Amino acid sequence: MGRRSGELDTPTKQLIVSLKRKGQRNADVEKLLKVPESTIRSLWKKFCERGSVENAPRSGRPPKISVRGETNLRSVRKSRGKILRDITKEFNQGKTVQVHPATVRRALHRNKIFRRVVRKRVRVKDINRKKRLAWCLQRRRWTVDSDWNQVIFSDESQIVIGQNHCVFVWVGERPVRPIAPSACTHHVRQRFRLWCGAASPGMVLALCVRLQGILMLINTMEF
């Protein structure tokens, strides 16, 4: 059996129907458009039966998760910290046809439910906002040569060895409120913090590490 060619596009189908309506024979349409006569005959028959050149809906394989099943999956928003494996296990309980976690994930995505990292919100009290504003106003006239060169700028970063400690939750299209980290279980093997301080020329740059509550000096550099 030879290889089947691709389907005709809609403009070509409409042109064939238009030529047939004008009384053109199948052989003449075949020579004009370089389309097999059997295709022209089949297309004209379908047009006479259905009145359209569009393809009929194809049945395909029925979905494993019904519309009602997808509605039940939306309840994952009530327990947003569950992992996909547990959601699939609960969904398969009491069912003859078992579904794969990837199938459940696709069903959740169709309902605009995705798994995302919980965003962190920095909570600053009103009194601290006022203190920060006052601190900035007091130093707005400072210069680099006489003032800021006496200040040490520092920063701290945490590094996790092993599985990260990010909290994942299922969210929809609407923005959700941050969830407490205790709402989702996680395991961390080991973590440590790096601290770095720097200042203007003539001062010292220090790199420290904090491991299990102990601050250790790693290296210093003098400019």
Side-chain angles (χ1 to χ4, degrees):
M1 181 181 295
R3 182 180 179 182
R4 297 183 60 182
S5 59
E7 294 184 358
L8 297 177
D9 54 9
T10 301
T12 304
K13 293 179 181 179
Q14 293 174 347
L15 180 58
I16 293 174
V17 172
S18 177
L19 293 174
K20 289 291 295 180
R21 281 181 167 180
K22 293 179 181 179
Q24 295 286 343
R25 299 184 306 168
N26 293 341
D28 297 335
V29 178
E30 178 185 7
K31 292 179 181 179
L32 180 63
L33 301 178
K34 307 299 181 182
V35 177
E37 185 177 355
S38 59
T39 303
I40 299 172
R41 190 184 309 110
S42 175
L43 177 64
W44 178 247
K45 180 180 179 181
K46 291 179 182 178
F47 176 78
C48 294
E49 293 175 353
R50 297 189 285 121
S52 174
V53 297
E54 299 296 335
N55 294 329
R58 296 178 172 89
S59 59
R61 190 185 73 174
K64 286 190 174 182
I65 300 180
S66 61
V67 177
R68 184 175 181 180
E70 291 193 6
T71 303
N72 295 335
L73 282 176
R74 295 174 190 169
S75 62
V76 71
R77 294 180 180 177
K78 298 179 181 179
S79 54
R80 296 184 292 156
K82 285 187 178 180
I83 60 177
L84 183 63
R85 183 176 62 253
D86 294 341
I87 296 173
T88 306
K89 184 178 180 180
E90 293 180 4
F91 183 81
N92 288 331
Q93 286 181 356
K95 291 182 174 61
T96 305
V97 180
Q98 303 291 303
V99 297
H100 193 269
T103 305
V104 176
R105 184 191 298 113
R106 287 193 295 268
L108 291 172
H109 289 179
R110 283 194 297 269
N111 288 272
K112 308 298 182 182
I113 301 176
F114 304 91
R115 191 164 172 82
R116 297 289 185 263
V117 179
V118 175
R119 65 178 183 268
K120 296 181 180 179
R121 177 182 296 178
V122 180
R123 302 181 184 273
V124 182
K125 296 182 179 180
D126 292 337
I127 186 172
N128 291 331
R129 290 194 182 98
K130 295 178 181 179
K131 290 181 179 179
R132 292 184 179 186
L133 178 60
W135 189 93
C136 295
L137 293 176
Q138 291 175 0
R139 293 160 178 80
R140 60 180 176 177
R141 304 293 184 185
W142 279 24
T143 61
V144 176
D145 297 332
S146 60
D147 301 300
W148 289 114
N149 59 356
Q150 305 296 325
V151 179
I152 297 178
F153 297 91
S154 64
D155 194 10
E156 187 176 4
S157 178
Q158 178 175 260
I159 299 177
V160 179
I161 301 176
Q163 184 179 356
N164 61 44
H165 61 291
C166 295
V167 180
F168 291 84
V169 294
W170 296 98
V171 299
E173 291 183 310
R174 298 178 300 175
V176 297
R177 294 170 296 179
I179 189 174
S182 58
C184 182
T185 57
H186 55 271
H187 303 280
V188 178
R189 296 180 182 177
Q190 191 176 14
R191 68 178 71 175
F192 62 92
R193 292 182 178 272
L194 287 175
W195 182 89
C196 180
S200 61
M203 301 190 72
V204 177
L205 171 67
L207 180 62
C208 303
V209 59
R210 180 181 296 173
L211 183 62
Q212 297 180 354
I214 303 175
L215 186 63
M216 298 177 290
L217 181 63
I218 296 179
N219 192 11
T220 58
M221 297 178 60
E222 185 173 357
F223 296 91

